[in-house]
Amino acid sequence: MQALQDSPLPNIPVSQNPKVVIIGAGFAGLKLARSLNKKKFQVILLDKNNYHQFQPLFYQVATAGLEPSAISFPLRKIFHHSKNVIFRMAEVHEVDSEKKRVITNLGFLEYDYLVLAMGADSNFFGNKSIEAYSSPMKTVSEALYIRNKIISNYERAINIEKPENRRSLMNVVIVGGGPTGVELAGAVAELRNNVLPIDYPELSFKNMKVVLIEAGENLLGPMSAEARQKAKDYLEKLGVEVRLKTLVKDYDGKSVRLENEETIETETLLWAAGIKPNKIKGLHEEIYTKNGRIHVNEYSEINGMKDVFALGDISLLQEEKYPSGHPQVAQVALQQAAQLAKNLPKIERGEKPSPFHYRDLGSMATVGRKLAVVDLPFVKFQGLLAWLTWLFVHLMAILGVKNRLFIFLDWSWNYLSFDPSLRLLIKPKYVRESERAELIEQK
Amino acid sequence: MQALQDSPLPNIPVSQNPKVVIIGAGFAGLKLARSLNKKKFQVILLDKNNYHQFQPLFYQVATAGLEPSAISFPLRKIFHHSKNVIFRMAEVHEVDSEKKRVITNLGFLEYDYLVLAMGADSNFFGNKSIEAYSSPMKTVSEALYIRNKIISNYERAINIEKPENRRSLMNVVIVGGGPTGVELAGAVAELRNNVLPIDYPELSFKNMKVVLIEAGENLLGPMSAEARQKAKDYLEKLGVEVRLKTLVKDYDGKSVRLENEETIETETLLWAAGIKPNKIKGLHEEIYTKNGRIHVNEYSEINGMKDVFALGDISLLQEEKYPSGHPQVAQVALQQAAQLAKNLPKIERGEKPSPFHYRDLGSMATVGRKLAVVDLPFVKFQGLLAWLTWLFVHLMAILGVKNRLFIFLDWSWNYLSFDPSLRLLIKPKYVRESERAELIEQK
């Protein structure tokens, strides 16, 4: 550690402009970096991946509808024409707010302004078994892992003679009735209805269960009553078993145990039950709320710190309309980042920044073909029109003309063919790494 | 092993038709299975992957031009409408030709006709160091691994202060002057010329070497003198250092040592220097040639065996025009498979099968934008027209309308933008596997 704290991150161009270091290239961090393009700041964007991930479509990667590359954007490419924005693929170890430094795995970086936008990871609520055996979906890698897991399980199931022994490989259980859980459950059900029986004619699918488990009284908690009810109806129409007010107690990799001691056999437990903000070392404990969010003021500045901001899922601002903080969604992150991009030049000039107010543009979730629910501020609708709205809004949110075009074509193709075609078990050959170790020993 | 030899592979539908077991879904195996569609055979196709790989375009996956899914075809999807063709993802351990059985990791399978089409893997000519440290490209996984490796190396290089210490991360050395080596070298040079300097403005590219090493006197050995010369000219025009009559002696992961003791620093040694046929246990040693190919007669039947055939890269048939066997290329594999598909019904009816004669349709290789060489039986040409011919022929060889359309769009996009955009370091999160082990221990 000593070495990293003492050696600066190399090859950062010298600049007279104030340095903004942004940790995390999710919705908030990326939006801020893009909005500071050509402004009088040197922006250094750090992320542990070399791409931005478009989280709302992870479930389509997991269910073989889209390629990871369709919804992942190489950060260097995004900033090709932004001379004042520098990207480094790095892991951040610690913040030293006294020295105004960020310590990464590659050395330290000095900042004038620091923006924390590390987002959130899956929350297993302390259950180590569930963490060990379930499949979360907070990264595109994890989404791809889910896809590979479902396909592998079916390739295994087909070689098992007795139908009762195949059950745990065929059933899919999803925990969490938020948009992610609802969208995953719908997409898995559509795979079961349209694709898997043709791929595996030897298997009987009438006993394959797709179960969606939610602890609360409703799916899509924060949405309107109509949306919640319709989403449930749609899922049930697709054959999903929706279990409300149901708590998962434990999971051993083969069978989910519920609070009432009922068990459901499955090797595929998809975990979308909750998130917890990513932490970073070096900040005072008192800035955190009980659930790990960071208290910020209306300028997104961390309470009690100077020139250090927090955006998106990790931040917590109590507005009058949102006494327990804003929802942890992309819209909030994007609006906070846009606001901060406007405020930073003011702060730099010594002017008073403008306070942040969240403007709720509405929310939506899709369940399946022609099945979605949309709540806009003044109108709520469901079904085909909602589905088209969902498609349009998500397509427009996708970065880059090429990705937008390819996703549009993929969607059109899948719509017409009922056949998302990416059912490939491809992995970069890391296997070779272990073979290599052996070979090196043999030498 | 005992258990597998004694338990049949489960869930194979009962059929009155003779059973054809095909090992390997490469060009030969896939072509044969498709040609036997709706014929009076039960066809069981085995492969260790659940997809067919289109080898001629691996180099575009390696150089971020195409996604693996664009050139990989889920086998179950290919055979959706072929009721008599059954696919199993399996590894074949052994052939028992006395009992007419194939033993796989899932149990044994009985056959009436057995077709070996396992293809070939990289040949390191016994050098364990090269095998341990170089990157071969005989699977789409390996191609993806090369892509990830090149990008990782650049992400590392950018954090190294002294230019002389970055060299081994930036240089790329390709060994083998066949089509694969030539195409890789050209594509890497184009990345260097068009993409990498924009992605990594902090690095200086004038010292980045792309070296193509070939042991023989020419690139593209079996092609015409014009093609060989032009390919070399094109590569040199793109800035590739072509080293003919040069032997690689050793490689330690950091630096390639040539026979004259000269060294070239590189962490990226791409190995396309030779292939060796995949072997299978249980066959007599005398069927193999010195370099591991299997002697077959003009009906592709293995010499000295009954009802066992070998196709493609693993087979060796001495025709008058090809005294040392046919070249190990897709064309031969496809033609052999087509011939065998016609012969099997004849053999089954007790008629005399037709002998195989290879019809050389020509060969081609591409070096870069508008740069390719084509030898057809009656005409040879190079440059733009050759490049268009290459594009057209490869596009038409791609299975499936969707893949063809998407590759066409990808190519058009890359052509117009000079910017293959798939520079993502995405891996299915196998990392979690090790985290999991830890978590399970903690419990």
Side-chain angles (χ1 to χ4, degrees):
Chain A
M1 229 18 212
Q2 199 54 34
L4 290 175
Q5 284 171 332
D6 294 337
S7 64
L9 204 142
N11 304 328
I12 302 289
V14 179
S15 161
Q16 298 311 312
N17 292 326
K19 255 186 187 170
V20 181
V21 174
I22 304 172
I23 306 178
F27 282 116
L30 181 63
K31 173 77 179 179
L32 178 62
R34 280 161 61 97
S35 306
L36 292 175
N37 177 26
K38 292 180 184 156
K39 299 267 172 68
K40 286 204 164 169
F41 292 98
Q42 184 179 44
V43 179
I44 299 161
L45 178 62
L46 305 174
D47 198 285
K48 59 187 168 190
N49 293 309
N50 75 341
Y51 49 88
H52 167 72
Q53 322 185 38
F54 191 74
Q55 242 182 93
L57 294 177
F58 284 175
Y59 81 96
Q60 296 204 3
V61 171
T63 51
L66 287 177
E67 271 304 278
S69 62
I71 60 160
S72 309
F73 309 89
L75 291 163
R76 297 196 175 278
K77 188 170 154 63
I78 295 174
F79 295 107
H80 266 182
H81 302 290
S82 307
K83 293 235 162 79
N84 67 322
V85 182
I86 295 154
F87 168 71
R88 284 293 183 279
M89 192 168 86
E91 276 169 45
V92 177
H93 290 165
E94 200 172 339
V95 172
D96 182 340
S97 55
E98 302 252 311
K99 290 192 188 157
K100 294 194 109 177
R101 282 182 178 181
V102 168
I103 294 122
T104 78
N105 61 328
L106 306 167
F108 72 81
L109 258 177
E110 286 176 339
Y111 65 79
D112 295 297
Y113 301 100
L114 175 62
V115 182
L116 307 183
M118 298 97 66
D121 203 351
S122 300
N123 193 345
F124 301 96
F125 306 104
N127 188 317
K128 297 264 182 217
S129 269
I130 293 178
E131 183 170 356
Y133 295 111
S134 75
S135 301
M137 196 181 65
K138 286 297 288 178
T139 65
V140 73
S141 301
E142 290 178 340
L144 193 54
Y145 183 85
I146 290 175
R147 182 203 294 183
N148 286 352
K149 178 162 190 135
I150 294 174
I151 299 171
S152 306
N153 283 350
Y154 274 84
E155 290 295 338
R156 283 166 62 204
I158 206 164
N159 295 306
I160 290 174
E161 209 149 353
K162 295 187 183 155
E164 63 270 28
N165 295 340
R166 290 182 207 140
R167 256 183 247 143
S168 67
L169 291 168
M170 295 177 69
N171 291 342
V172 176
V173 177
I174 299 119
V175 185
T180 304
V182 166
E183 287 169 347
L184 259 177
V188 171
E190 289 196 318
L191 274 185
R192 194 252 327 261
N193 300 346
N194 306 325
V195 178
L196 294 172
I198 314 178
D199 265 8
Y200 302 92
E202 297 94 331
L203 300 179
S204 156
F205 281 81
K206 65 174 193 291
N207 293 321
M208 174 191 171
K209 281 188 196 171
V210 182
V211 185
L212 175 61
I213 296 177
E214 160 62 33
E217 293 193 9
N218 290 294
L219 300 177
L220 304 175
M223 289 189 78
S224 66
E226 300 99 290
R228 300 193 299 219
Q229 187 54 47
K230 277 286 186 188
K232 184 162 177 284
D233 295 349
Y234 291 157
L235 284 170
E236 284 170 348
K237 193 170 134 185
L238 291 174
V240 176
E241 193 181 317
V242 179
R243 311 275 298 253
L244 301 173
K245 292 184 270 184
T246 303
L247 273 169
V248 170
K249 204 168 161 190
D250 214 347
Y251 180 55
D252 62 3
K254 301 271 179 197
S255 158
V256 189
R257 194 148 51 88
L258 306 180
E259 221 183 13
N260 64 3
E261 297 300 325
E262 185 189 337
T263 58
I264 308 169
E265 289 174 86
T266 184
E267 294 207 14
T268 316
L269 181 70
L270 309 183
W271 191 255
I275 60 170
K276 69 165 184 249
N278 289 314
K279 275 204 165 185
I280 199 167
K281 278 208 293 187
L283 304 180
H284 290 293
E285 274 306 315
E286 51 263 40
I287 65 167
Y288 294 107
T289 67
K290 202 171 72 228
N291 48 27
R293 289 169 81 173
I294 295 175
H295 280 294
V296 297
N297 65 20
E298 66 266 50
Y299 315 115
S300 299
E301 202 171 27
I302 297 180
N303 285 356
M305 297 189 79
K306 226 189 111 38
D307 301 332
V308 184
F309 303 83
L311 300 177
D313 289 355
I314 58 165
S315 72
L316 185 107
L317 168 64
Q318 285 160 307
E319 267 198 272
E320 206 175 311
K321 267 181 67 186
Y322 300 91
S324 56
H326 301 106
Q328 286 158 296
V329 297
Q331 273 306 318
V332 174
L334 292 168
Q335 292 181 26
Q336 284 178 326
Q339 179 78 32
L340 183 59
K342 282 187 204 144
N343 278 340
L344 279 177
K346 292 188 191 170
I347 295 170
E348 181 61 22
R349 291 192 300 264
E351 295 167 17
K352 196 176 156 46
S354 321
F356 174 71
H357 295 294
Y358 176 47
R359 217 175 116 229
D360 186 358
L361 298 172
S363 49
M364 51 184 77
T366 186
V367 178
R369 290 169 79 84
K370 305 188 196 168
L371 304 174
V373 295
V374 173
D375 287 356
L376 297 184
F378 301 105
V379 55
K380 301 174 204 327
F381 49 103
Q382 299 89 30
L384 175 63
L385 182 63
W387 186 67
L388 293 172
T389 307
W390 185 96
L391 290 175
F392 179 76
V393 166
H394 283 81
L395 203 56
M396 287 303 109
I398 283 290
L399 281 181
V401 183
K402 182 180 173 191
N403 286 71
R404 205 174 287 161
L405 171 70
F406 275 65
I407 290 181
F408 177 73
L409 288 170
D410 253 319
W411 283 350
S412 310
W413 193 277
N414 295 347
Y415 176 76
L416 294 171
S417 69
F418 279 86
D419 187 7
S421 54
L422 305 170
R423 302 189 293 279
L424 307 158
L425 278 172
I426 299 178
K427 349 178 174 163
K429 205 174 175 178
Y430 289 102
V431 186
R432 198 163 279 275
E433 298 289 353
S434 59
E435 286 167 19
R436 261 180 193 163
E438 260 177 58
L439 280 164
I440 292 169
E441 261 175 41
Q442 281 173 34
K443 274 198 312 168
Chain B
M1 225 21 207
Q2 197 56 33
L4 290 175
Q5 282 170 333
D6 293 337
S7 64
L9 205 143
N11 304 327
I12 302 289
V14 178
S15 162
Q16 299 311 314
N17 292 327
K19 254 187 189 170
V20 181
V21 174
I22 304 172
I23 305 178
F27 283 116
L30 181 63
K31 173 78 180 179
L32 178 61
R34 280 161 61 94
S35 307
L36 292 176
N37 178 26
K38 293 179 185 157
K39 298 268 171 69
K40 286 203 164 169
F41 291 98
Q42 183 178 46
V43 179
I44 300 162
L45 178 63
L46 303 174
D47 198 285
K48 58 186 170 193
N49 293 310
N50 74 340
Y51 50 89
H52 167 72
Q53 321 186 37
F54 190 75
Q55 240 182 94
L57 294 177
F58 283 175
Y59 81 96
Q60 296 203 3
V61 171
T63 51
L66 287 178
E67 271 304 278
S69 61
I71 60 160
S72 308
F73 310 89
L75 291 163
R76 296 196 175 277
K77 187 169 154 63
I78 295 174
F79 295 107
H80 267 183
H81 303 289
S82 307
K83 292 234 162 80
N84 68 322
V85 182
I86 294 155
F87 167 70
R88 283 294 182 278
M89 193 168 86
E91 275 169 46
V92 177
H93 290 166
E94 201 173 338
V95 172
D96 182 341
S97 55
E98 302 253 310
K99 290 193 188 157
K100 293 192 113 178
R101 283 182 178 182
V102 169
I103 294 122
T104 78
N105 62 327
L106 306 168
F108 72 80
L109 258 176
E110 285 176 339
Y111 64 79
D112 295 296
Y113 301 100
L114 175 63
V115 183
L116 306 182
M118 297 98 66
D121 201 352
S122 300
N123 194 345
F124 302 97
F125 306 103
N127 188 318
K128 298 265 181 215
S129 270
I130 293 176
E131 184 171 355
Y133 295 112
S134 75
S135 301
M137 197 181 65
K138 286 298 287 179
T139 65
V140 74
S141 300
E142 290 178 341
L144 193 54
Y145 182 85
I146 290 175
R147 182 204 291 184
N148 286 352
K149 178 161 191 137
I150 293 174
I151 300 171
S152 306
N153 284 350
Y154 274 83
E155 291 294 338
R156 284 166 62 203
I158 205 163
N159 295 306
I160 291 174
E161 208 149 356
K162 293 187 184 157
E164 62 269 28
N165 295 340
R166 291 182 206 139
R167 254 182 248 144
S168 68
L169 291 168
M170 295 177 70
N171 292 341
V172 177
V173 177
I174 299 119
V175 184
T180 303
V182 166
E183 288 170 345
L184 259 177
V188 171
E190 289 195 319
L191 275 185
R192 194 254 326 261
N193 300 345
N194 305 327
V195 178
L196 293 172
I198 314 177
D199 265 8
Y200 301 92
E202 297 94 329
L203 300 179
S204 156
F205 282 80
K206 63 175 195 289
N207 293 322
M208 173 191 172
K209 281 187 194 171
V210 181
V211 185
L212 175 61
I213 297 177
E214 160 61 35
E217 292 194 9
N218 290 295
L219 300 177
L220 303 176
M223 289 190 77
S224 66
E226 300 98 291
R228 300 192 299 217
Q229 187 55 47
K230 276 288 186 186
K232 184 162 179 284
D233 294 349
Y234 292 156
L235 284 170
E236 285 170 346
K237 193 171 137 185
L238 292 175
V240 176
E241 195 180 316
V242 180
R243 312 275 297 254
L244 301 174
K245 293 184 270 183
T246 303
L247 273 169
V248 171
K249 204 170 161 189
D250 215 347
Y251 180 54
D252 63 3
K254 301 271 179 194
S255 156
V256 188
R257 194 148 50 87
L258 305 180
E259 220 182 14
N260 63 4
E261 296 300 325
E262 187 189 337
T263 58
I264 309 169
E265 290 174 84
T266 186
E267 294 207 12
T268 316
L269 182 69
L270 310 183
W271 192 257
I275 60 171
K276 68 164 184 250
N278 289 315
K279 276 203 165 185
I280 201 166
K281 278 208 294 188
L283 304 180
H284 289 292
E285 274 306 313
E286 51 264 39
I287 65 166
Y288 294 107
T289 68
K290 203 171 72 225
N291 48 28
R293 290 170 80 173
I294 295 174
H295 281 294
V296 297
N297 65 20
E298 65 267 47
Y299 315 114
S300 300
E301 203 170 26
I302 297 179
N303 285 356
M305 297 188 79
K306 226 188 111 43
D307 302 331
V308 184
F309 304 83
L311 301 177
D313 288 356
I314 59 165
S315 71
L316 185 107
L317 167 64
Q318 285 160 308
E319 269 198 90
E320 206 174 313
K321 267 181 67 187
Y322 300 92
S324 57
H326 302 107
Q328 286 158 295
V329 297
Q331 273 306 319
V332 174
L334 291 169
Q335 292 181 26
Q336 284 178 326
Q339 179 77 31
L340 184 57
K342 283 189 202 140
N343 278 339
L344 278 177
K346 292 189 191 170
I347 295 170
E348 183 60 23
R349 292 192 299 265
E351 295 167 19
K352 197 177 156 46
S354 323
F356 175 71
H357 296 294
Y358 176 49
R359 216 175 117 230
D360 186 358
L361 298 172
S363 48
M364 51 183 77
T366 185
V367 178
R369 290 169 80 82
K370 306 186 196 170
L371 304 173
V373 294
V374 172
D375 286 356
L376 297 184
F378 302 105
V379 55
K380 302 175 202 325
F381 50 102
Q382 301 88 30
L384 176 61
L385 182 63
W387 185 67
L388 293 172
T389 307
W390 185 95
L391 290 176
F392 180 77
V393 166
H394 283 81
L395 204 54
M396 288 302 111
I398 284 290
L399 281 180
V401 183
K402 182 179 173 192
N403 286 70
R404 204 175 286 161
L405 171 70
F406 275 65
I407 290 181
F408 176 73
L409 288 170
D410 252 319
W411 283 351
S412 309
W413 193 277
N414 295 347
Y415 177 76
L416 294 171
S417 69
F418 280 87
D419 186 6
S421 54
L422 305 170
R423 303 190 291 281
L424 307 157
L425 277 172
I426 300 179
K427 351 179 174 162
K429 205 176 177 179
Y430 290 102
V431 186
R432 199 163 281 275
E433 298 289 353
S434 58
E435 286 168 19
R436 262 180 191 165
E438 260 177 60
L439 281 164
I440 292 167
E441 260 175 43
Q442 280 173 37
K443 273 199 311 169

